[in-house]
């Protein structure tokens, strides 16, 4: 049995896929859309897994990170919903492909 690794998933190619995308929250295509990380599942000075990114514009990213319109529970719900939208979009665009062969996330190989 393989021991579970306590490593945070990182994938620079996944993060770069936000370039040219529309915001999954408001639909803005203003050149400010980035792969924003969830604020959950992280530690001090450590970002959450790259698998939790959301394609958000500057306005929506700032509101999520620093705004006061959502409480902690609403922010978690928002992050899960926006991450789902982002992953669905990437799947539908063909950027993410489901494989029946497990891939080693450290090496990218099988």
């Amino acid at each position: 049995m393989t021991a579970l690794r306590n490593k945070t998933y990182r994938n620079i190619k996944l993060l770069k896929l936000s370039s040219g995308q529309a915001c999954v929250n408001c639909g803005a295509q203003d050149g400010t859309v980035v792969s924003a990380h969830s604020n959950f599942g992280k530690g001090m000075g450590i970002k959450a897994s790259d698998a939790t990114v959301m394609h958000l514009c500057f306005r929506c990213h700032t509101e999520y990170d620093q705004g006061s319109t959502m409480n902690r529970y609403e922010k978690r719900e928002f992050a899960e919903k926006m991450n789902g939208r982002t992953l669905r979009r990437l799947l539908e665009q063909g950027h993410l492909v489901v494989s029946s062969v497990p891939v080693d996330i450290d090496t990218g190989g099988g």
Side-chain angles (χ1 to χ4, degrees):
M1 181 172 186
T2 305
L4 292 175
R5 287 181 265 183
N6 196 14
K7 293 182 86 173
T8 303
Y9 178 70
R10 296 287 174 238
N11 188 319
I12 192 70
K13 291 179 184 178
L14 178 65
L15 299 179
K16 288 182 177 184
L17 290 174
S18 63
S19 178
Q21 296 282 1
C23 177
V24 293
N25 185 48
C26 72
Q29 287 186 286
D30 58 3
T32 68
V33 175
V34 297
S35 290
H37 286 85
S38 166
N39 289 335
F40 302 93
K42 65 180 190 170
M44 189 175 356
I46 301 171
K47 285 196 179 291
S49 167
D50 287 350
T52 68
V53 296
M54 311 163 275
H55 291 169
L56 298 178
C57 67
F58 178 79
R59 186 180 61 79
C60 293
H61 188 187
T62 301
E63 180 58 36
Y64 171 69
D65 276 347
Q66 301 162 9
S68 59
T69 61
M70 294 182 277
N71 65 36
R72 179 170 176 76
Y73 302 103
E74 291 167 329
K75 285 186 178 192
R76 180 180 293 270
E77 186 175 285
F78 175 83
E80 290 173 357
K81 185 175 182 180
M82 296 306 112
N83 176 249
R85 286 182 183 177
T86 299
L87 294 178
R88 179 178 177 174
R89 172 194 287 164
L90 293 175
L91 280 164
E92 290 175 348
Q93 291 176 343
H95 293 296
L96 300 180
V97 179
V98 177
S99 172
S100 61
V101 179
V103 175
D104 184 322
I105 63 170
D106 291 329
T107 65

